[in-house]
């Protein structure tokens, strides 16, 4: 994303530019395919600097908006199941309910068959109905209105509760069945939602971009993103032979930008991002004598560590507000935890690191295993996804991406 989530060009207006700049609200994804030597690396670093302050931290309103399983069920039940699938499913649900209680037989016969025992029944109950009547309705309709079926079953049971005294065996049995029916309906809906999720590819291929497909994709994405750690960080993955090139560019160009534009950044921070940047940047690092302090070299090579050794811990508590902005990972040392990775603004790593870490598994595999209560791999109990995959990065940039595509 460029500039800001609202599309307002905050970075340019912060220094008093009078002309109307271009607004790019949501430029997500794409390829940067300039010829060699035209400054793609500088362009990428400019993008990172221009979007300082953006984060994948969910907004308060998005945290409260849950994916509505009832809406998914209704769309799947009405639009994607035929009557040949709906009728047996409902009849099976009725059968499960009746088999769950030994005294459920009270509610099966038609009302007319036992009116001699309750001559005042119609005086008390306005809309009489029995399970027998509900089965007949299911046989005569396409069962597209699931809510109407649920209302009929509840009406049958609440009628029994209303007519019979609290100490009556029918009254007590009806109360038990009301509770059981609510549980069965929740389970029934969840099973069909899960079935819809599993059939997402087929539904999308058969029906195209429907409302149901949109809800299922949103649900699947939310389930994947929720466990990830939000961050304001960019993950840079570069070929091994270009790793040193990127490191040099970041060390010189990024520092030069921060050093020359420190006044601009302060104005920008106070006017538009308030304390967001100050929370992550300690400007004492932007001096000529401590040029490399804002870069942490995550390496086992001693010549790289030097005075940066105090940042070599992977404990997030060791990183205060003034911790370095950039993590340069050469792949010779075990990755820090996701909590630490998410605190940097830029994480630079190589193809070798990503390829080796990718073999550990995926977050999706962990989620599936946790739901089933089983292992991630049958032969490896300890296999788990890479820490690189457990951060919700602001963006992922892959240099020479056509090579990784192979």
């Amino acid at each position: 994303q460029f500039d800001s989530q609202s599309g307002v060009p905050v970075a340019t207006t912060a220094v008093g530019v009078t002309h109307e700049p271009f607004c790019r609200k949501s430029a997500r994804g794409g390829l940067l395919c300039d010829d060699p030597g035209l400054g793609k690396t500088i362009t990428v670093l400019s993008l990172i600097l221009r979007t300082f302050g953006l984060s994948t931290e969910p907004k308060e309103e998005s945290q409260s908006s849950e994916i509505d399983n009832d809406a998914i069920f209704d769309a799947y039940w009405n639009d994607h199941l035929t009557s040949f699938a709906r009728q047996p499913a409902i009849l099976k649900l009725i059968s499960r309910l009746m088999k769950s209680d030994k005294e459920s037989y009270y509610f099966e016969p038609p009302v007319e068959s036992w009116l001699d025992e309750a001559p005042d029944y119609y005086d008390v109950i306005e809309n009489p109905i029995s399970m027998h009547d509900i089965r007949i309705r299911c046989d005569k309709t396409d069962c597209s209105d699931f809510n109407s079926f649920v209302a009929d079953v509840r009406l049958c049971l609440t009628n029994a509760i209303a007519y019979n005294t609290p100490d009556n065996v029918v009254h007590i049995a009806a109360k038990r069945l009301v509770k059981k029916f609510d549980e069965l309906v929740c389970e029934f809906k969840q099973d069909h939602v899960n079935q819809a999720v599993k059939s997402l590819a087929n539904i999308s291929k058969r029906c195209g971009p429907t409302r149901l497909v949109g809800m299922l994709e949103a649900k699947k994405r939310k389930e994947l993103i929720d466990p990830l750690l939000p961050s304001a960080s960019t993950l840079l993955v570069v070929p091994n032979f270009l790793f040193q090139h990127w490191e040099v560019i970041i060390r010189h160009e990024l520092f030069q930008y921060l050093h020359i534009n420190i006044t601009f950044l302060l104005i920008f921070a106070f006017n538009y991002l308030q304390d967001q940047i100050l929370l992550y940047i300690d400007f004492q690092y932007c001096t000529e004598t401590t040029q490399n302090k804002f870069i942490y070299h995550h390496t086992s090579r001693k010549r790289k560590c030097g005075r940066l050794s105090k940042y070599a811990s992977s404990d997030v508590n060791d990183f205060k507000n003034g911790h370095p902005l950039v993590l340069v990972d050469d792949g010779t040392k075990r990755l820090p935890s996701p909590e630490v990775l998410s605190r940097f603004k830029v994480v630079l790593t190589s193809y070798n690191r990503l390829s080796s870490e990718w073999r550990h598994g995926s977050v999706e595999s962990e989620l599936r295993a946790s739901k089933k209560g089983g292992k991630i791999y049958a032969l490896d109990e300890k296999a788990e996804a890479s820490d690189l995959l457990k951060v919700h990065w602001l963006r992922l940039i892959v240099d020479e991406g056509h090579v990784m595509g192979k």
Side-chain angles (χ1 to χ4, degrees):
Q1 292 188 356
F2 291 80
D3 297 337
S4 72
Q5 293 181 356
S6 63
V8 178
V10 292
T12 50
T13 57
V15 290
V17 177
T18 56
H19 65 276
E20 186 68 26
F22 292 104
C23 298
R24 304 174 180 87
K25 181 177 180 181
S26 185
R28 297 183 62 83
L31 304 172
L32 181 57
C33 301
D34 286 343
D35 290 331
L38 294 183
K40 293 189 293 296
T41 306
I42 302 300
T43 301
V44 167
L45 293 181
S46 299
L47 169 64
I48 294 171
L49 290 166
R50 189 176 179 86
T51 55
F52 236 110
L54 289 186
S55 171
T56 57
E57 187 78 39
K59 297 181 179 179
E60 292 183 5
E61 57 266 26
S62 63
Q63 288 177 333
S64 61
S65 59
E66 297 292 332
I67 305 300
D68 189 355
N69 278 353
D70 286 339
I72 294 176
F73 171 80
D74 290 339
Y76 181 65
W77 182 263
N78 295 326
D79 302 334
H80 295 276
L81 291 182
T82 65
S83 59
F84 298 104
R86 290 192 291 257
Q87 284 178 345
I90 281 187
L91 292 175
K92 184 178 179 181
L93 179 58
I94 295 175
S95 178
R96 288 186 62 190
L97 176 65
M98 301 303 285
K99 290 179 179 179
S100 68
D101 197 292
K102 294 180 179 180
E103 296 174 334
S104 61
Y105 61 87
Y106 289 120
F107 312 97
E108 181 65 35
V111 176
E112 294 79 8
S113 65
W114 44 264
L115 279 179
D116 293 340
E117 302 175 12
D120 62 339
Y121 189 77
Y122 283 115
D123 297 331
V124 179
I125 302 302
E126 183 178 351
N127 298 308
I129 191 172
S130 69
M131 289 296 180
H132 175 77
D133 300 325
I134 295 173
R135 292 180 194 271
I136 292 177
R137 287 186 184 181
C138 291
D139 289 334
K140 291 182 178 180
T141 65
D142 63 357
C143 299
S144 60
D145 191 349
F146 183 78
N147 293 329
S148 178
F149 157 74
V150 172
D152 286 344
V153 174
R154 286 180 177 155
L155 178 62
C156 174
L157 299 174
T158 54
N159 282 348
I161 294 173
Y163 181 77
N164 296 280
T165 58
D167 59 343
N168 188 285
V169 64
V170 179
H171 181 105
I172 297 172
K175 278 193 169 182
R176 289 199 304 269
L177 285 172
V178 166
K179 184 178 179 181
K180 182 63 178 180
F181 182 63
D182 289 342
E183 295 174 359
L184 290 176
V185 167
C186 289
E187 183 182 334
F188 183 85
K189 287 186 174 183
Q190 187 60 53
D191 288 344
H192 279 78
V193 168
N194 293 340
Q195 184 179 335
V197 171
K198 291 179 182 179
S199 307
L200 174 58
N202 291 334
I203 294 174
S204 180
K205 183 177 180 180
R206 186 175 69 249
C207 305
T210 63
R211 177 170 171 265
L212 174 63
V213 171
M215 288 190 293
L216 291 175
E217 288 178 344
K219 178 180 176 64
K220 188 175 181 181
R221 176 174 173 79
K222 187 176 186 303
E223 289 178 349
L224 177 62
I225 287 179
D226 278 353
L228 304 182
L229 279 170
S231 75
S233 181
T234 295
L235 177 62
L236 271 169
V237 185
V238 304
N240 303 327
F241 66 89
L242 290 176
F243 189 83
Q244 188 174 5
H245 161 75
W246 274 93
E247 183 182 349
V248 170
I249 294 295
I250 288 176
R251 185 168 63 247
H252 290 89
E253 301 298 335
L254 193 60
F255 167 76
Q256 184 179 13
Y257 178 91
L258 290 175
H259 180 65
I260 293 175
N261 296 281
I262 182 170
T263 304
F264 158 73
L265 282 175
L266 282 169
I267 296 173
F268 177 44
F270 281 118
N271 288 347
Y272 291 91
L273 297 180
Q274 297 177 356
D275 59 347
Q276 291 187 48
I277 286 184
L278 298 180
L279 179 65
Y280 291 97
I281 299 180
D282 183 346
F283 289 100
Q284 65 176 324
Y285 292 114
C286 300
T287 64
E288 293 290 351
T289 56
T290 58
Q291 178 170 345
N292 293 329
K293 273 194 174 183
F294 73 100
I295 297 179
Y296 164 51
H297 291 86
H298 189 68
T299 179
S300 60
R301 298 169 184 169
K302 293 183 179 180
R303 64 178 181 84
K304 286 278 188 180
C305 294
R307 58 186 174 183
L308 297 175
S309 58
K310 66 176 181 177
Y311 298 117
S313 171
S314 61
D315 183 1
V316 71
N317 294 321
D318 291 345
F319 290 89
K320 307 302 180 184
N321 286 346
H323 78 76
L325 302 178
V326 181
L327 182 145
V328 177
D329 167 45
D330 65 0
T332 61
K333 189 176 180 182
R334 183 175 179 178
L335 277 172
S337 67
E339 291 79 9
V340 172
L341 291 172
S342 64
R343 295 287 297 277
F344 289 91
K345 293 303 181 184
V346 179
V347 174
L348 173 66
T349 191
S350 65
Y351 280 14
N352 279 356
R353 168 70 86 177
L354 193 64
S355 299
S356 62
E357 292 286 325
W358 196 268
R359 300 190 189 103
H360 293 177
S362 66
V363 176
E364 294 93 332
S365 300
E366 287 190 13
L367 290 174
R368 286 195 297 268
S370 64
K371 289 179 181 178
K372 296 178 181 178
K375 301 174 183 177
I376 299 172
Y377 294 111
L379 300 179
D380 188 359
E381 299 181 11
K382 298 181 180 179
E384 62 178 39
S386 166
D387 290 332
L388 289 173
L389 300 180
K390 295 181 179 180
V391 177
H392 188 187
W393 304 98
L394 179 63
R395 67 175 64 83
L396 166 66
I397 298 175
V398 182
D399 194 9
E400 303 292 339
H402 61 281
V403 176
M404 181 162 286
K406 298 177 182 177

